[in-house]
Amino acid sequence: MIKLQKPAFAYLGGRVVPWEEANIHIASEALIRGISVFEGIKGYWREDLSSLQLLALEAHFFRLCRSARLQHLPFSMSLSEFREACGDLARCLMVLDRDLWLRPTIYSVEGHWGEGTVADLAITCYHQEKRAPGRLKVGITGWQKPGDSVLPARIKSAANYQMARIVRIEGRERGFDDMLLLNSNGRIAEATGSALIMVRNGRVVTPPAYEGCLESITVDIVERLCKSLDLPFERRPIDRSELLVADEVALCGTLMELGIVEQVDAYRLPDSSPVIDAIAERFWACARGLVEDPAMDLTDIGGCVHREAVQT
Ligand code: PMP
């Protein structure tokens, strides 16, 4: 997980600014109604290039645009301008041998109930150790994932994380690394900040967005990696009981990458996870440039490395 950091720079108002200057007014709709949409984008350190590569930048840009559209947030930046903005900040902050995590957020900075809305793109960017996640214990919460007509989960809006925060706190209290939420039909939706994949009889299965899930970009990558590895991949609803007796389970997302689950509630999963291990191995080999696979869309940011850009 990202520890609290205070990097030297952020991006706001169309340029890179010192961290202390990246502020939003207390009267903005971003604060009073929590009106913002965001993305998380991972930058992988590449030893061979002495540079960073951003994963699935284009897919994140288009999901951000869709989230903004649904939330009536005007956002007219082009993909190349967005790439430039992320690259500018990442180049200022990257340090040798560490990954980055960027959080582009569109905030409603002016306007009232959608009238006269002015939105701005802010980007924060944090350092991350280069390491694969450990094995996870996850619980199932009694809180429910809202349906599409209650709070659409397919977009990445701040509102969707209000419940996730409550559930994550519950998980910590109960001794779990993360928690799963069920939808109103009692089927698996997703975890607080990641999607879920399960392996059953050699098939990789994940719930579709209509089950109450974010349209995960990592799941799309996993789907393409499965194609490269000749593994069957399927999107279909997953019952709670089916998950509890699955062969393998993992949480997956930009920040989580592929975190193998060893326990769901009181149920221990089998010790070996050959299918998910194979997918994760290919994922990491691609991220570090050891294997090339179009399943992973990586954008080099170029530029020089700053060793002292972070204050934790
Ligand atoms: N679901 C939720 C609720 C999330 O916060 C995330 C992380 N963005 C995911 C799923 C995984 O999405 P992605 O693979 O696009 O990061």
Side-chain angles (χ1 to χ4, degrees):
M1 296 293 134
I2 298 280
K3 279 204 250 140
L4 285 181
Q5 295 176 14
K6 198 176 162 197
F9 302 105
Y11 180 99
L12 192 74
R15 65 195 175 91
V16 174
V17 295
W19 175 266
E20 287 73 19
E21 288 175 25
N23 299 312
I24 285 174
H25 200 274
I26 54 161
S28 67
E29 262 194 322
L31 275 168
I32 56 175
R33 300 198 178 95
I35 305 297
S36 68
V37 294
F38 67 102
E39 283 299 317
I41 302 177
K42 192 71 197 277
Y44 288 101
W45 174 255
R46 281 282 296 266
E47 196 75 54
D48 53 330
L49 306 170
S50 279
S51 178
L52 268 168
Q53 297 210 313
L54 301 180
L55 177 58
L57 184 79
E58 196 172 320
H60 283 288
F61 171 75
F62 287 117
R63 189 172 64 188
L64 184 65
C65 292
R66 288 195 301 276
S67 298
R69 271 175 65 195
L70 194 68
Q71 193 73 81
H72 295 289
L73 288 167
F75 180 59
S76 57
M77 203 176 228
S78 67
L79 171 60
S80 62
E81 288 166 336
F82 181 73
R83 189 183 295 121
E84 199 68 20
C86 293
D88 283 351
L89 182 62
R91 276 189 297 276
C92 286
L93 290 174
M94 71 176 178
V95 291
L96 206 65
D97 211 27
R98 287 183 90 181
D99 294 337
L100 287 182
W101 184 72
L102 287 89
R103 193 180 200 279
T105 305
I106 301 175
Y107 291 105
S108 172
V109 291
E110 272 180 44
H112 188 59
W113 289 121
E115 282 182 49
T117 305
V118 176
D120 191 23
L121 173 72
I123 312 175
T124 48
C125 174
Y126 305 94
H127 293 88
Q128 240 198 331
E129 296 300 335
K130 277 172 46 205
R131 49 116 196 87
R135 294 177 95 81
L136 306 165
K137 289 184 173 44
V138 302
I140 299 178
T141 181
W143 294 99
Q144 212 171 67
K145 193 83 195 177
D148 191 57
S149 58
V150 181
L151 200 59
R154 76 178 64 239
I155 65 162
K156 212 164 157 57
S157 63
N160 284 345
Y161 291 85
Q162 310 239 330
M163 176 55 70
R165 182 172 175 275
I166 292 175
V167 171
R168 209 176 263 214
I169 293 168
E170 177 198 344
R172 271 206 305 274
E173 288 296 313
R174 290 175 54 192
F176 291 116
D177 299 302
D178 204 342
M179 297 294 280
L180 298 173
L181 289 106
L182 306 179
N183 59 25
S184 57
N185 295 312
R187 292 192 296 261
I188 305 295
E190 58 184 357
T192 58
S194 44
L196 176 135
I197 59 171
M198 158 190 103
V199 179
R200 185 162 189 203
N201 300 328
R203 300 181 78 79
V204 179
V205 185
T206 193
Y210 63 72
E211 288 289 280
C213 317
L214 178 69
E215 293 181 332
S216 161
I217 290 164
T218 315
V219 168
D220 291 346
I221 292 170
V222 166
E223 182 175 18
R224 294 195 294 269
L225 290 173
C226 284
K227 201 167 268 176
S228 306
L229 294 164
D230 220 10
L231 292 167
F233 179 94
E234 202 178 332
R235 292 177 197 261
R236 63 157 175 82
I238 299 177
D239 281 332
R240 174 191 191 138
S241 59
E242 193 183 18
L243 184 77
L244 298 175
V245 295
D247 300 330
E248 303 175 40
V249 174
L251 300 187
C252 67
T254 302
L255 201 50
M256 174 63 74
E257 279 126 357
L258 274 155
I260 291 169
V261 174
E262 63 177 14
Q263 186 177 332
V264 182
D265 271 345
Y267 291 79
R268 283 201 65 85
L269 288 156
D271 287 338
S272 73
S273 46
V275 174
I276 293 171
D277 287 348
I279 300 168
E281 196 178 310
R282 191 159 180 94
F283 180 96
W284 287 109
C286 292
R288 301 291 174 218
L290 307 172
V291 170
E292 275 200 23
D293 188 327
M296 304 268 283
D297 169 30
L298 292 155
T299 303
D300 200 287
I301 63 159
C304 61
V305 171
H306 299 254
R307 284 158 198 272
E308 305 299 337
V310 67
Q311 301 150 18
T312 38

